[in-house]
Amino acid sequence: MRFSGGAWEGLAPAGGPADNCVRYIGDLQMASILVVSGKSKGYYFPLKEQTVTVGRDEACDVQILDERVSRRHMQLRHDDGTKNYYASDLQSANGVFVNGQQISQEAPLTDGDAIIIGESKLFFSSRNFLDSDEALSHFKHRGERGKSTLIE
């Protein structure tokens, strides 16, 4: 998480170091990343329409605290022409997996894609949210409460 251009980029979960921070959204429609498992679980990162570096190093735009994540692990690139985001592996030690498939070249991202780096799972969304709770709510599957559990 860092403060840039008058706005907080990356929000920690409630009770975390950014608990009292407010992020300006305005009229921007930007994509976002939500960390759903691993040491950084609950962290939410809005993505501006730019290239973003993801890794363990504090110099990365999105820092993921995971010993199996390389210092500079992955890049998320926004294409101004197509308005899409693309993920690429920055020669990481443990690879980048999008929806269970390891990527060897730049891969397009769509809303709801699951990205695994190290032992951390991230969800990509093509929209932004007010906070990590709203982002998590977006990814929850509805209708599971009434289903029976299968027993083998």
Side-chain angles (χ1 to χ4, degrees):
M1 176 182 57
R2 65 187 178 144
F3 191 76
S4 175
W8 283 102
E9 296 177 349
L11 297 179
D19 194 33
N20 296 318
C21 298
V22 176
R23 174 174 66 80
Y24 174 75
I25 295 175
D27 294 328
L28 294 177
Q29 178 64 31
M30 64 181 113
S32 57
I33 291 288
L34 175 66
V35 183
V36 296
S37 70
K39 290 183 181 178
S40 297
K41 180 180 178 179
Y43 279 57
Y44 168 71
F45 298 95
L47 304 173
K48 295 189 177 182
E49 294 179 348
Q50 61 187 16
T51 298
V52 175
T53 304
V54 180
R56 198 178 69 242
D57 194 303
E58 63 271 10
C60 289
D61 301 300
V62 173
Q63 184 182 30
I64 304 296
L65 304 175
D66 181 333
E67 292 83 11
R68 295 191 184 271
V69 170
S70 297
R71 288 182 296 274
R72 290 178 31 89
H73 198 105
M74 171 178 68
Q75 177 177 286
L76 301 174
R77 181 183 67 83
H78 179 263
D79 184 298
D80 290 333
T82 64
K83 304 291 185 201
N84 292 325
Y85 280 86
Y86 298 86
S88 57
D89 190 336
L90 296 176
Q91 299 178 338
S92 66
N94 293 310
V96 175
F97 297 80
V98 176
N99 298 324
Q101 300 294 314
Q102 185 167 9
I103 62 171
S104 58
Q105 57 187 349
E106 192 172 65
L109 295 174
T110 59
D111 190 62
D113 280 350
I115 303 168
I116 296 178
I117 57 173
E119 294 180 347
S120 298
K121 185 174 189 177
L122 299 76
F123 278 142
F124 172 81
S125 177
S126 58
R127 56 174 286 212
N128 59 351
F129 303 95
L130 293 175
D131 56 25
S132 59
D133 290 335
E134 183 185 7
L136 186 58
S137 174
H138 173 74
F139 291 109
K140 286 187 177 181
H141 295 279
R142 304 288 180 219
E144 292 298 313
R145 183 180 305 153
K147 291 184 179 178
S148 299
T149 301
L150 295 177
I151 301 174
E152 295 187 28

